Every structure is written in C-alpha cells, then in structure tokens.
Amino acid sequence: MTAAEIGDLAATRRDADEWATYDEFAAGIDTYRLPQESLAGRRLSFELEGGGTITVDVLDDARVRWSTSGSRTVDDVDDAADPYDAIAVRPGVHFLNLPLESRERTALTIVWSEHTRRAIVTHSRIGQEPREGEPQVTQEFVAAVLDGGEPTGAAPGESRDLIGMRNLYRYSPQHLYEHVYMSTERYAWQNLQGVQRGHGDMDLSTVWKLDDGLYLFCFREFHPRRERLAARPRLRSRDDRDLPRHQR
C-alpha cells in the first residue's frame, strides 16, 4: 500500500475515544483465512516437555474427545468432549484449536509438524475478574513431541527472530493492519483500513519458533472494550504471510 493510499484512508478515521465494538470490527475479518481441515479418525498423542501427555481422538469434522495426565500446564482430564478448529498451515504442519466447552474460560491450541514431530501446546485462560494493568487472559506454553516417531530438529522455544519486523496483514478487502514486533514481550498494532481505522495499541505478546521460518505468535490485550479478542494464537512466517487466524 502506497503512502497516498494510506493517506486517503484518513477520512474514515474514528475518533480517539470511539472504539469499535467486537461485532463491528470482526465482521468479515476471516475472509482470507485458510479453510477448515478435517482430522476425523485421527488419534494424536503428545508427550509434553517436563512430563505429561495430551491425547486427542478426533471423532468427526467438528468434535474431539481428549484427555491429559501429568502436565504442569494443563489440569488432568480423564475424558472430555469439545469442538475443534483445524487448519493445514503447510503440507505436514497443522494448527488445532480446542475452544473448550467442557472447561469454563479456557482453550487449548496445539501446533505441530508431521515432519519433525515437534509441537507447541498453548493453554489460555480468561480470569474471572479484570485486574488493573494486566491482561485478563493468561497463557502458558510448552514444547511437545508427537508420538509415533523420533523428533528431529530443535525443540520449539521462545524466539527473538521477529524483533524489529514491520508487517502489513490484510485479513479481508476491508481489514488491513500493521504490526511491529518491538521486543520479546511487546508488539504494536494499528488499523490502516476498517472500522478501527486510526486506532492502535501496544500489547503483550509471545513468539515461539516451531520450525525454520515458522512461528507461533500470541498476544494478550489490555483494552477492556476488546476482551472477547483478548488473546489469539496465530502462526507467522518470515515471508510476511499471515497464516491461520484463531477462530473467534
């Protein structure tokens, strides 16, 4: 986008105190999202770093049964049934999100590579009450290995690779955002096109590297008016593509 094109958008800028509602800014934002992937019939078992396992049995195109044991990040679960959202990020790389109905105010996100058998598990929780100066959502991350073979390559972990990068992400013809990755704990964003035009913020963020050029990016917002979008795991690649956007 040229400077002139960005300047032309100034006429649609919202007033500083006029924050868009969730329904306003989220409408259509998943237009360019990669299609849903069916994992029906698969059993996925992950050994977590530091001990513990997560096992997911995919029942059909929409639901899973899952269990955990011995994990330091996820409470033990004998048997739970929940919906799932899955995307094939690249050939052999998958993004699985469980927006848990069986557990209140929590979600599990698992990203893994069939090639290296390496995985990242993210456990997100929404606090019962907002706390001044802190995001209402907390997240824990743990490296894992997909059962069924020997892992290769480096284990996933926090990365500084994106620091200093400035990217533009177009989610739909009406949604254009700029991100600047400031440090290992902060990123800045602003809306260049859309109902949030003229708004931006700097929020807490975490970046983990899954494989060469492929990163899990998570952010946790402070702004109470956007609590429903308080934490979103996404995958980023170094060639500026925005990979699957976490379902709302």
Side-chain angles (χ1 to χ4, degrees):
M1 174 171 272
T2 66
E5 290 172 324
I6 293 175
D8 289 342
L9 296 174
T12 63
R13 186 181 186 278
R14 301 176 75 94
D15 292 337
D17 295 329
E18 186 187 355
W19 284 88
T21 67
Y22 175 87
D23 289 336
E24 284 178 330
F25 75 77
I29 203 169
D30 60 351
T31 300
Y32 295 152
R33 182 181 180 275
L34 295 175
Q36 173 81 2
E37 174 188 29
S38 174
L39 297 174
R42 291 202 62 178
R43 163 166 276 212
L44 304 165
S45 185
F46 299 92
E47 296 287 335
L48 307 182
E49 187 177 78
T53 62
I54 296 179
T55 301
V56 180
D57 289 301
V58 186
L59 303 178
D60 52 32
D61 292 345
R63 296 190 68 81
V64 301
R65 301 197 74 89
W66 63 281
S67 62
T68 64
S69 64
S71 169
R72 61 181 175 83
T73 58
V74 183
D75 294 337
D76 284 359
V77 176
D78 289 334
D79 184 32
D82 285 290
Y84 79 92
D85 173 34
I87 293 171
V89 178
R90 295 175 176 173
V93 179
H94 306 273
F95 178 99
L96 174 67
N97 183 62
L98 307 181
L100 302 182
E101 295 176 348
S102 61
R103 299 291 184 275
E104 290 187 355
R105 307 171 71 85
T106 187
L108 280 177
T109 304
I110 306 172
V111 185
W112 75 94
S113 169
E114 305 275 357
H115 307 299
T116 66
R117 312 201 74 80
R118 301 289 188 180
I120 304 169
V121 177
T122 306
H123 187 203
S124 303
R125 296 184 180 93
I126 302 176
Q128 292 293 334
E129 300 292 339
R131 300 176 64 178
E132 184 67 26
E134 296 182 14
Q136 196 165 347
V137 172
T138 60
Q139 292 176 312
E140 295 179 272
F141 303 85
V142 62
V145 173
L146 175 66
D147 278 358
E150 289 296 319
T152 60
E158 281 196 85
S159 173
R160 299 171 56 87
D161 292 357
L162 300 189
I163 293 175
M165 290 187 67
R166 171 186 175 270
N167 290 342
L168 297 180
Y169 296 110
R170 180 168 289 283
Y171 300 112
S172 82
Q174 292 77 39
H175 296 84
L176 179 66
Y177 286 81
E178 178 184 22
H179 286 188
V180 181
Y181 303 101
M182 310 298 294
S183 70
T184 56
E185 297 182 343
R186 297 276 183 167
Y187 90 109
W189 67 270
Q190 66 169 323
N191 179 225
L192 300 176
Q193 182 181 6
V195 297
Q196 286 185 302
R197 166 66 184 162
H199 284 161
D201 210 340
M202 185 175 291
D203 293 310
L204 291 176
S205 62
T206 301
V207 175
W208 273 50
K209 184 175 182 178
L210 177 66
D211 205 346
D212 289 342
L214 190 59
Y215 304 84
L216 179 70
F217 167 72
C218 298
F219 63 92
R220 297 166 293 283
E221 294 188 345
F222 292 97
H223 203 295
R225 298 175 189 174
R226 299 194 305 276
E227 178 193 341
R228 288 179 63 187
L229 194 63
R232 293 291 180 236
R234 305 179 186 177
L235 284 177
R236 295 284 191 247
S237 66
R238 287 300 299 266
D239 57 3
D240 291 356
R241 288 179 298 156
D242 189 34
L243 295 168
R245 185 181 182 87
H246 183 48
Q247 281 287 79
R248 294 174 178 75

